[in-house]
Amino acid sequence: MKKKLLFIGPPGAGKGTQANLFSKKYGHDHLSTGDLLRDEVSSGSVLGTKAKALMNQGELVSDELVLSIVEGRLVMSQKGWLLDGFPRNVNQANSLKKLLEKINQPLEAVISIQIPDNYLIKRLLERGREDDTEEVITNRLKIYSEKTAPLIDLYRKQGILEVINGNADIDVVFSCIEKALG
Ligand code: B4P
């Protein structure tokens, strides 16, 4: 199984859900910037307080903060890693590229989970996290299509992209991911 992975997809596509299942089964370190930022928010730190305000509007947190969170964990990882929710814009993708070159751990595959917007909105409203209101979800989807979706083409050009249909049961999506990475 490939060891250096990235899962990308719009909010609610199931990337967190699938990354969790996958890392539990195959032993990758699961690096979810969303989860790491929510931990920072719960800690009540100054950075967490700043992050919370942005997250609750559906905006991206500063690249510097996200990078500082990811870098240390990537460098420490011994058994392979799975990035979930990072990179989210071109600047983060460039920083990741430089970091991976520095530590000599090239990305092996990118899983792009795709699903129409109307299903995403329904899923997220049902989940009901603090940033899962209709207004905030709409903003997150807009930011995804403007800033994150262009990265898919970048990874397609590198020949490491696998597109997965996210509009199916969780176990069906999981099997498709295993097949793509096997
Ligand atoms: P994230 O935590 O990454 O959250 P997300 O995009 O909403 O997706 P998530 O992974 O949680 O949900 P999933 O699709 O698995 O980001 C939250 C915020 O953090 C961002 O808005 C931003 O502010 C900040 N942030 C994070 N990373 C950042 C970065 N790199 N730079 C700057 N800011 C950053 O699942 C959603 C729901 O669907 C769940 O309830 C799940 O149970 C359900 N579901 C999943 N698969 C399903 C299926 N197949 N069928 C039915 N339901 C399914």
Side-chain angles (χ1 to χ4, degrees), residues 51-109:
K52 183 178 180 179
L54 290 163
M55 291 168 83
N56 283 350
Q57 293 162 33
E59 297 292 326
L60 295 182
V61 171
S62 85
D63 292 346
E64 290 72 25
L65 172 58
V66 176
L67 269 170
S68 69
I69 290 179
V70 171
E71 182 160 2
R73 286 177 170 82
L74 257 186
V75 174
M76 296 290 287
S77 175
Q78 302 280 330
K79 45 191 179 181
W81 38 260
L82 196 177
L83 291 167
D84 159 15
F86 173 89
R88 250 177 160 95
N89 59 28
V90 173
N91 186 38
Q92 291 183 10
N94 288 336
S95 303
L96 176 66
K97 185 166 176 277
K98 279 189 206 138
L99 172 62
L100 296 181
E101 278 167 6
K102 192 168 88 186
I103 62 176
N104 198 20
Q105 295 195 33
L107 197 51
E108 292 173 350

